[in-house]
Amino acid sequence: MIIFLDESESKPNLIPFSHTRHVADIRVGILTIREKWAYLLPKASFINELQPGVIKIDACLIPTADNFKAILYAATNDEDDILGKSLKYLRWPWFISQYNDWAIRKDFELITQGKQSQPIPASVQVSGKENIFIEKTAVLNHCIINAQNGPVYVGKNAEIMEGSIIRGPVAICESAVVKMGSKIYGGSTIGPFCIAGGEIKNSMLFGLSNKAHDGYLGDSVIGEWCNLGAGTSNSNVKNTAGPVKYQLSELLTGLEAGTKAGLLMGDYSRSAINTSFNTGTVVGVCCNIFGERMPSLFIPNFTWANEKYLLDKAFRDIDNWKKMKGQVITAKEKNILQQLYNQ
């Protein structure tokens, strides 16, 4: 079986995250959409362009063990109307946090089926231990995990430090670190190689990003290679408790997202210590946020405070941050960012 995950219609609406990745590589739950398909169809091949005889599937559709056969049937028989309203599509980027609770539960069932968790250490206080799965080589001691309201997944080489409190459904992915005294509420994913601290609720950190210190992150989505300085917090509810509207670009404005809507931050962006983000703030790709004023609700790609971030300086700074995790900026990354900068 050969599958083409089509992002042509969904990509423009999923910025800033689709600026730097294929829509299928967006993480929602524990896995990215592409990884979900790989679990569900381990013998399938995935190609990057549509060809005769290839099954075309909308990349923003979230597959689960319950629905993937119906998706395949609809795709091969050109009958989208049979899919019904129960399927979830990533129509807009804030859907990532809105769907994350549900997606963690679905992914937990998928990736733990037929596997055995490593034993829960004696020093860990737990409730609902049947809903806790700890991969081999994960390290956790003297923390509290409540999985009565939803599963908690701890990936390989992940670490949960002393005094942390976790309330499911939560995913702590591969090689992620939850620092001492952290409070992580349901619907949150700490992506691969992320560092998490402070208070996090119903939020997604894609991977390789840091929210390492005190401060609140709620109903938010943080891309890769981001860093939130100590004390950084966001608002996720207006003082009026009214509907929140996002601006994704100069053209996509006034997009209503419900009454709870936090920070959307694109890849390679950073905030200085004690930064306060207002309800429904969008930060583009490769931004450096600092200064005395509260940041604007919409911060375009390549913003340095209130000026343009010079591309060679952006490359240098990204490389500096990547070196802290033992990596360097790649030619592919530079090419993607160069094209985005030229736009």
Side-chain angles (χ1 to χ4, degrees), residues 13-14 19 32 37 43 48 51 56 81 99 118 130 132 138 148 203 213 215 244 252 256 287 295 313 318:
N13 294 340
L14 288 169
H19 278 319
T32 68
W37 279 115
K43 295 182 180 180
N48 295 324
Q51 299 175 3
K56 184 177 79 169
D81 58 320
Y99 289 166
Q118 71 162 301
E130 67 278 5
I132 299 171
Q148 289 184 319
S203 293
H213 305 287
V244 182
L252 291 172
E256 193 167 311
C287 297
K313 190 174 182 179
I318 291 170

PDB file of all heavy atoms in Angstrom, residues 13-14 19 32 37 43 48 51 56 81 99 118 130 132 138 148 203 213 215 244 252 256 287 295 313 318:
ATOM      1  N   ASN A  13      -3.414  27.087   6.572  1.00  0.00           N
ATOM      2  CA  ASN A  13      -4.164  27.418   7.782  1.00  0.00           C
ATOM      3  C   ASN A  13      -3.490  26.958   9.067  1.00  0.00           C
ATOM      4  O   ASN A  13      -4.015  27.219  10.159  1.00  0.00           O
ATOM      5  CB  ASN A  13      -5.561  26.805   7.722  1.00  0.00           C
ATOM      6  CG  ASN A  13      -6.416  27.400   6.625  1.00  0.00           C
ATOM      7  OD1 ASN A  13      -6.156  28.493   6.135  1.00  0.00           O
ATOM      8  ND2 ASN A  13      -7.431  26.668   6.211  1.00  0.00           N
ATOM      9  N   LEU A  14      -2.353  26.270   8.972  1.00  0.00           N
ATOM     10  CA  LEU A  14      -1.704  25.723  10.158  1.00  0.00           C
ATOM     11  C   LEU A  14      -0.389  26.423  10.479  1.00  0.00           C
ATOM     12  O   LEU A  14       0.466  25.882  11.170  1.00  0.00           O
ATOM     13  CB  LEU A  14      -1.502  24.212   9.996  1.00  0.00           C
ATOM     14  CG  LEU A  14      -2.806  23.409  10.086  1.00  0.00           C
ATOM     15  CD1 LEU A  14      -2.596  21.974   9.654  1.00  0.00           C
ATOM     16  CD2 LEU A  14      -3.385  23.460  11.499  1.00  0.00           C
ATOM     17  N   HIS A  19       4.928  26.326   8.527  1.00  0.00           N
ATOM     18  CA  HIS A  19       6.005  27.035   7.829  1.00  0.00           C
ATOM     19  C   HIS A  19       7.257  26.174   7.719  1.00  0.00           C
ATOM     20  O   HIS A  19       8.008  26.273   6.742  1.00  0.00           O
ATOM     21  CB  HIS A  19       6.381  28.316   8.588  1.00  0.00           C
ATOM     22  CG  HIS A  19       5.493  29.487   8.322  1.00  0.00           C
ATOM     23  ND1 HIS A  19       5.006  29.806   7.070  1.00  0.00           N
ATOM     24  CD2 HIS A  19       5.011  30.448   9.168  1.00  0.00           C
ATOM     25  CE1 HIS A  19       4.263  30.897   7.157  1.00  0.00           C
ATOM     26  NE2 HIS A  19       4.239  31.297   8.406  1.00  0.00           N
ATOM     27  N   THR A  32       3.297  12.226  16.127  1.00  0.00           N
ATOM     28  CA  THR A  32       2.918  13.066  15.001  1.00  0.00           C
ATOM     29  C   THR A  32       1.891  12.315  14.157  1.00  0.00           C
ATOM     30  O   THR A  32       1.704  11.100  14.300  1.00  0.00           O
ATOM     31  CB  THR A  32       4.127  13.411  14.124  1.00  0.00           C
ATOM     32  OG1 THR A  32       4.586  12.201  13.474  1.00  0.00           O
ATOM     33  CG2 THR A  32       5.265  14.010  14.938  1.00  0.00           C
ATOM     34  N   TRP A  37       0.154   7.051  11.474  1.00  0.00           N
ATOM     35  CA  TRP A  37      -0.070   6.209  10.297  1.00  0.00           C
ATOM     36  C   TRP A  37       0.937   5.057  10.243  1.00  0.00           C
ATOM     37  O   TRP A  37       0.592   3.938   9.874  1.00  0.00           O
ATOM     38  CB  TRP A  37       0.014   7.045   9.025  1.00  0.00           C
ATOM     39  CG  TRP A  37      -1.243   7.790   8.710  1.00  0.00           C
ATOM     40  CD1 TRP A  37      -1.431   9.143   8.690  1.00  0.00           C
ATOM     41  CD2 TRP A  37      -2.514   7.222   8.359  1.00  0.00           C
ATOM     42  NE1 TRP A  37      -2.726   9.448   8.360  1.00  0.00           N
ATOM     43  CE2 TRP A  37      -3.411   8.291   8.152  1.00  0.00           C
ATOM     44  CE3 TRP A  37      -2.973   5.916   8.209  1.00  0.00           C
ATOM     45  CZ2 TRP A  37      -4.740   8.088   7.798  1.00  0.00           C
ATOM     46  CZ3 TRP A  37      -4.303   5.708   7.860  1.00  0.00           C
ATOM     47  CH2 TRP A  37      -5.175   6.778   7.655  1.00  0.00           C
ATOM     48  N   LYS A  43       3.265  -1.745   7.209  1.00  0.00           N
ATOM     49  CA  LYS A  43       3.788  -2.234   5.930  1.00  0.00           C
ATOM     50  C   LYS A  43       3.559  -1.240   4.785  1.00  0.00           C
ATOM     51  O   LYS A  43       3.965  -1.502   3.642  1.00  0.00           O
ATOM     52  CB  LYS A  43       3.144  -3.573   5.583  1.00  0.00           C
ATOM     53  CG  LYS A  43       3.492  -4.694   6.562  1.00  0.00           C
ATOM     54  CD  LYS A  43       2.870  -6.018   6.144  1.00  0.00           C
ATOM     55  CE  LYS A  43       3.226  -7.131   7.119  1.00  0.00           C
ATOM     56  NZ  LYS A  43       2.630  -8.437   6.717  1.00  0.00           N
ATOM     57  N   ASN A  48       6.016  11.470  -1.233  1.00  0.00           N
ATOM     58  CA  ASN A  48       5.863  12.915  -1.106  1.00  0.00           C
ATOM     59  C   ASN A  48       5.158  13.580  -2.274  1.00  0.00           C
ATOM     60  O   ASN A  48       5.024  14.805  -2.302  1.00  0.00           O
ATOM     61  CB  ASN A  48       7.238  13.562  -0.913  1.00  0.00           C
ATOM     62  CG  ASN A  48       7.892  13.138   0.392  1.00  0.00           C
ATOM     63  OD1 ASN A  48       7.216  12.964   1.403  1.00  0.00           O
ATOM     64  ND2 ASN A  48       9.197  12.959   0.368  1.00  0.00           N
ATOM     65  N   GLN A  51       0.877  10.147  -7.246  1.00  0.00           N
ATOM     66  CA  GLN A  51       1.127   9.379  -8.458  1.00  0.00           C
ATOM     67  C   GLN A  51      -0.076   8.485  -8.736  1.00  0.00           C
ATOM     68  O   GLN A  51      -0.887   8.227  -7.843  1.00  0.00           O
ATOM     69  CB  GLN A  51       2.391   8.518  -8.296  1.00  0.00           C
ATOM     70  CG  GLN A  51       3.662   9.317  -8.051  1.00  0.00           C
ATOM     71  CD  GLN A  51       4.852   8.413  -7.775  1.00  0.00           C
ATOM     72  OE1 GLN A  51       4.748   7.186  -7.819  1.00  0.00           O
ATOM     73  NE2 GLN A  51       5.994   9.017  -7.483  1.00  0.00           N
ATOM     74  N   LYS A  56      -4.577   8.898  -1.730  1.00  0.00           N
ATOM     75  CA  LYS A  56      -4.387  10.261  -1.232  1.00  0.00           C
ATOM     76  C   LYS A  56      -5.257  10.491   0.000  1.00  0.00           C
ATOM     77  O   LYS A  56      -6.466  10.274  -0.029  1.00  0.00           O
ATOM     78  CB  LYS A  56      -4.740  11.289  -2.306  1.00  0.00           C
ATOM     79  CG  LYS A  56      -4.480  12.734  -1.873  1.00  0.00           C
ATOM     80  CD  LYS A  56      -4.772  13.731  -2.976  1.00  0.00           C
ATOM     81  CE  LYS A  56      -6.258  13.979  -3.099  1.00  0.00           C
ATOM     82  NZ  LYS A  56      -6.571  15.137  -3.992  1.00  0.00           N
ATOM     83  N   ASP A  81     -17.920  11.603   2.370  1.00  0.00           N
ATOM     84  CA  ASP A  81     -19.106  11.865   3.180  1.00  0.00           C
ATOM     85  C   ASP A  81     -19.415  10.745   4.176  1.00  0.00           C
ATOM     86  O   ASP A  81     -20.153  10.941   5.133  1.00  0.00           O
ATOM     87  CB  ASP A  81     -20.322  12.095   2.276  1.00  0.00           C
ATOM     88  CG  ASP A  81     -20.589  10.917   1.358  1.00  0.00           C
ATOM     89  OD1 ASP A  81     -19.613  10.349   0.838  1.00  0.00           O
ATOM     90  OD2 ASP A  81     -21.770  10.577   1.158  1.00  0.00           O
ATOM     91  N   TYR A  99      -7.411  19.322  20.931  1.00  0.00           N
ATOM     92  CA  TYR A  99      -7.562  17.888  20.716  1.00  0.00           C
ATOM     93  C   TYR A  99      -6.586  17.049  21.538  1.00  0.00           C
ATOM     94  O   TYR A  99      -6.656  15.823  21.513  1.00  0.00           O
ATOM     95  CB  TYR A  99      -7.329  17.553  19.236  1.00  0.00           C
ATOM     96  CG  TYR A  99      -8.404  17.997  18.285  1.00  0.00           C
ATOM     97  CD1 TYR A  99      -8.166  18.009  16.914  1.00  0.00           C
ATOM     98  CD2 TYR A  99      -9.668  18.396  18.726  1.00  0.00           C
ATOM     99  CE1 TYR A  99      -9.152  18.399  16.005  1.00  0.00           C
ATOM    100  CE2 TYR A  99     -10.645  18.793  17.838  1.00  0.00           C
ATOM    101  CZ  TYR A  99     -10.382  18.794  16.479  1.00  0.00           C
ATOM    102  OH  TYR A  99     -11.348  19.189  15.593  1.00  0.00           O
ATOM    103  N   GLN A 118       7.572  -0.845  32.516  1.00  0.00           N
ATOM    104  CA  GLN A 118       8.522  -1.177  33.569  1.00  0.00           C
ATOM    105  C   GLN A 118       7.874  -0.853  34.915  1.00  0.00           C
ATOM    106  O   GLN A 118       6.946  -0.038  35.004  1.00  0.00           O
ATOM    107  CB  GLN A 118       9.841  -0.428  33.396  1.00  0.00           C
ATOM    108  CG  GLN A 118       9.806   1.060  33.679  1.00  0.00           C
ATOM    109  CD  GLN A 118      11.208   1.623  33.900  1.00  0.00           C
ATOM    110  OE1 GLN A 118      11.932   1.178  34.803  1.00  0.00           O
ATOM    111  NE2 GLN A 118      11.595   2.580  33.065  1.00  0.00           N
ATOM    112  N   GLU A 130      -2.827   1.373  36.676  1.00  0.00           N
ATOM    113  CA  GLU A 130      -3.093   0.625  35.447  1.00  0.00           C
ATOM    114  C   GLU A 130      -3.083   1.525  34.218  1.00  0.00           C
ATOM    115  O   GLU A 130      -2.989   1.048  33.081  1.00  0.00           O
ATOM    116  CB  GLU A 130      -4.442  -0.097  35.554  1.00  0.00           C
ATOM    117  CG  GLU A 130      -5.665   0.802  35.599  1.00  0.00           C
ATOM    118  CD  GLU A 130      -5.965   1.355  36.977  1.00  0.00           C
ATOM    119  OE1 GLU A 130      -5.169   1.120  37.916  1.00  0.00           O
ATOM    120  OE2 GLU A 130      -7.018   2.020  37.119  1.00  0.00           O
ATOM    121  N   ILE A 132      -0.784   3.924  33.777  1.00  0.00           N
ATOM    122  CA  ILE A 132       0.560   4.498  33.693  1.00  0.00           C
ATOM    123  C   ILE A 132       1.459   3.544  32.923  1.00  0.00           C
ATOM    124  O   ILE A 132       1.499   2.346  33.217  1.00  0.00           O
ATOM    125  CB  ILE A 132       1.137   4.752  35.103  1.00  0.00           C
ATOM    126  CG1 ILE A 132       0.257   5.751  35.859  1.00  0.00           C
ATOM    127  CG2 ILE A 132       2.579   5.254  35.008  1.00  0.00           C
ATOM    128  CD1 ILE A 132       0.633   5.899  37.329  1.00  0.00           C
ATOM    129  N   ALA A 138      13.508   4.961  31.321  1.00  0.00           N
ATOM    130  CA  ALA A 138      12.989   6.195  31.910  1.00  0.00           C
ATOM    131  C   ALA A 138      13.362   6.228  33.395  1.00  0.00           C
ATOM    132  O   ALA A 138      13.506   5.191  34.050  1.00  0.00           O
ATOM    133  CB  ALA A 138      11.482   6.273  31.743  1.00  0.00           C
ATOM    134  N   GLN A 148      -5.893   8.624  37.308  1.00  0.00           N
ATOM    135  CA  GLN A 148      -7.286   8.207  37.437  1.00  0.00           C
ATOM    136  C   GLN A 148      -8.177   8.828  36.370  1.00  0.00           C
ATOM    137  O   GLN A 148      -9.155   8.226  35.924  1.00  0.00           O
ATOM    138  CB  GLN A 148      -7.810   8.564  38.831  1.00  0.00           C
ATOM    139  CG  GLN A 148      -7.226   7.706  39.945  1.00  0.00           C
ATOM    140  CD  GLN A 148      -7.831   8.032  41.292  1.00  0.00           C
ATOM    141  OE1 GLN A 148      -8.056   9.185  41.622  1.00  0.00           O
ATOM    142  NE2 GLN A 148      -8.101   7.005  42.083  1.00  0.00           N
ATOM    143  N   SER A 203      -1.316  21.792  27.123  1.00  0.00           N
ATOM    144  CA  SER A 203      -0.412  22.425  26.161  1.00  0.00           C
ATOM    145  C   SER A 203       0.469  21.387  25.481  1.00  0.00           C
ATOM    146  O   SER A 203       0.681  20.293  25.996  1.00  0.00           O
ATOM    147  CB  SER A 203       0.463  23.473  26.854  1.00  0.00           C
ATOM    148  OG  SER A 203      -0.312  24.558  27.303  1.00  0.00           O
ATOM    149  N   HIS A 213      11.513  26.736  33.597  1.00  0.00           N
ATOM    150  CA  HIS A 213      11.441  27.434  34.875  1.00  0.00           C
ATOM    151  C   HIS A 213      10.001  27.742  35.252  1.00  0.00           C
ATOM    152  O   HIS A 213       9.065  27.437  34.516  1.00  0.00           O
ATOM    153  CB  HIS A 213      12.266  28.726  34.792  1.00  0.00           C
ATOM    154  CG  HIS A 213      13.678  28.501  34.379  1.00  0.00           C
ATOM    155  ND1 HIS A 213      14.625  27.943  35.209  1.00  0.00           N
ATOM    156  CD2 HIS A 213      14.308  28.735  33.202  1.00  0.00           C
ATOM    157  CE1 HIS A 213      15.785  27.847  34.573  1.00  0.00           C
ATOM    158  NE2 HIS A 213      15.620  28.327  33.350  1.00  0.00           N
ATOM    159  N   GLY A 215       6.507  29.673  35.939  1.00  0.00           N
ATOM    160  CA  GLY A 215       5.691  30.429  34.996  1.00  0.00           C
ATOM    161  C   GLY A 215       4.584  29.509  34.507  1.00  0.00           C
ATOM    162  O   GLY A 215       4.662  28.283  34.643  1.00  0.00           O
ATOM    163  N   VAL A 244     -11.983  34.349  22.245  1.00  0.00           N
ATOM    164  CA  VAL A 244     -10.634  34.771  21.875  1.00  0.00           C
ATOM    165  C   VAL A 244     -10.469  34.650  20.371  1.00  0.00           C
ATOM    166  O   VAL A 244     -10.891  33.654  19.770  1.00  0.00           O
ATOM    167  CB  VAL A 244      -9.574  33.907  22.591  1.00  0.00           C
ATOM    168  CG1 VAL A 244      -8.170  34.392  22.241  1.00  0.00           C
ATOM    169  CG2 VAL A 244      -9.801  33.926  24.098  1.00  0.00           C
ATOM    170  N   LEU A 252      -4.957  36.254   7.500  1.00  0.00           N
ATOM    171  CA  LEU A 252      -5.796  35.423   8.365  1.00  0.00           C
ATOM    172  C   LEU A 252      -5.949  36.113   9.716  1.00  0.00           C
ATOM    173  O   LEU A 252      -5.102  35.981  10.606  1.00  0.00           O
ATOM    174  CB  LEU A 252      -5.176  34.039   8.534  1.00  0.00           C
ATOM    175  CG  LEU A 252      -5.169  33.134   7.300  1.00  0.00           C
ATOM    176  CD1 LEU A 252      -4.346  31.884   7.548  1.00  0.00           C
ATOM    177  CD2 LEU A 252      -6.584  32.760   6.892  1.00  0.00           C
ATOM    178  N   GLU A 256     -11.878  33.081  15.421  1.00  0.00           N
ATOM    179  CA  GLU A 256     -12.365  32.790  16.764  1.00  0.00           C
ATOM    180  C   GLU A 256     -11.994  31.368  17.175  1.00  0.00           C
ATOM    181  O   GLU A 256     -12.172  30.419  16.421  1.00  0.00           O
ATOM    182  CB  GLU A 256     -13.877  32.988  16.833  1.00  0.00           C
ATOM    183  CG  GLU A 256     -14.408  33.017  18.253  1.00  0.00           C
ATOM    184  CD  GLU A 256     -15.836  33.526  18.333  1.00  0.00           C
ATOM    185  OE1 GLU A 256     -16.131  34.589  17.732  1.00  0.00           O
ATOM    186  OE2 GLU A 256     -16.653  32.859  18.995  1.00  0.00           O
ATOM    187  N   CYS A 287      11.699  34.182  16.188  1.00  0.00           N
ATOM    188  CA  CYS A 287      11.513  35.489  16.810  1.00  0.00           C
ATOM    189  C   CYS A 287      12.246  35.532  18.149  1.00  0.00           C
ATOM    190  O   CYS A 287      12.323  34.535  18.849  1.00  0.00           O
ATOM    191  CB  CYS A 287      10.031  35.773  17.037  1.00  0.00           C
ATOM    192  SG  CYS A 287       9.058  35.866  15.524  1.00  0.00           S
ATOM    193  N   PRO A 295       4.301  41.882  24.715  1.00  0.00           N
ATOM    194  CA  PRO A 295       4.375  41.596  23.278  1.00  0.00           C
ATOM    195  C   PRO A 295       3.033  41.785  22.575  1.00  0.00           C
ATOM    196  O   PRO A 295       1.970  41.630  23.180  1.00  0.00           O
ATOM    197  CB  PRO A 295       4.819  40.134  23.232  1.00  0.00           C
ATOM    198  CG  PRO A 295       5.467  39.883  24.549  1.00  0.00           C
ATOM    199  CD  PRO A 295       4.746  40.744  25.537  1.00  0.00           C
ATOM    200  N   LYS A 313      22.301  36.400  11.442  1.00  0.00           N
ATOM    201  CA  LYS A 313      22.276  36.412  12.899  1.00  0.00           C
ATOM    202  C   LYS A 313      21.332  35.336  13.438  1.00  0.00           C
ATOM    203  O   LYS A 313      21.625  34.684  14.438  1.00  0.00           O
ATOM    204  CB  LYS A 313      21.839  37.789  13.389  1.00  0.00           C
ATOM    205  CG  LYS A 313      21.996  37.999  14.881  1.00  0.00           C
ATOM    206  CD  LYS A 313      21.687  39.436  15.259  1.00  0.00           C
ATOM    207  CE  LYS A 313      21.904  39.662  16.750  1.00  0.00           C
ATOM    208  NZ  LYS A 313      21.627  41.062  17.145  1.00  0.00           N
ATOM    209  N   ILE A 318      20.443  30.253  16.219  1.00  0.00           N
ATOM    210  CA  ILE A 318      19.867  28.901  16.196  1.00  0.00           C
ATOM    211  C   ILE A 318      20.960  27.867  16.424  1.00  0.00           C
ATOM    212  O   ILE A 318      20.794  26.915  17.207  1.00  0.00           O
ATOM    213  CB  ILE A 318      19.145  28.634  14.862  1.00  0.00           C
ATOM    214  CG1 ILE A 318      17.875  29.483  14.768  1.00  0.00           C
ATOM    215  CG2 ILE A 318      18.798  27.157  14.721  1.00  0.00           C
ATOM    216  CD1 ILE A 318      17.234  29.469  13.393  1.00  0.00           C
TER     217      ILE A 318
END
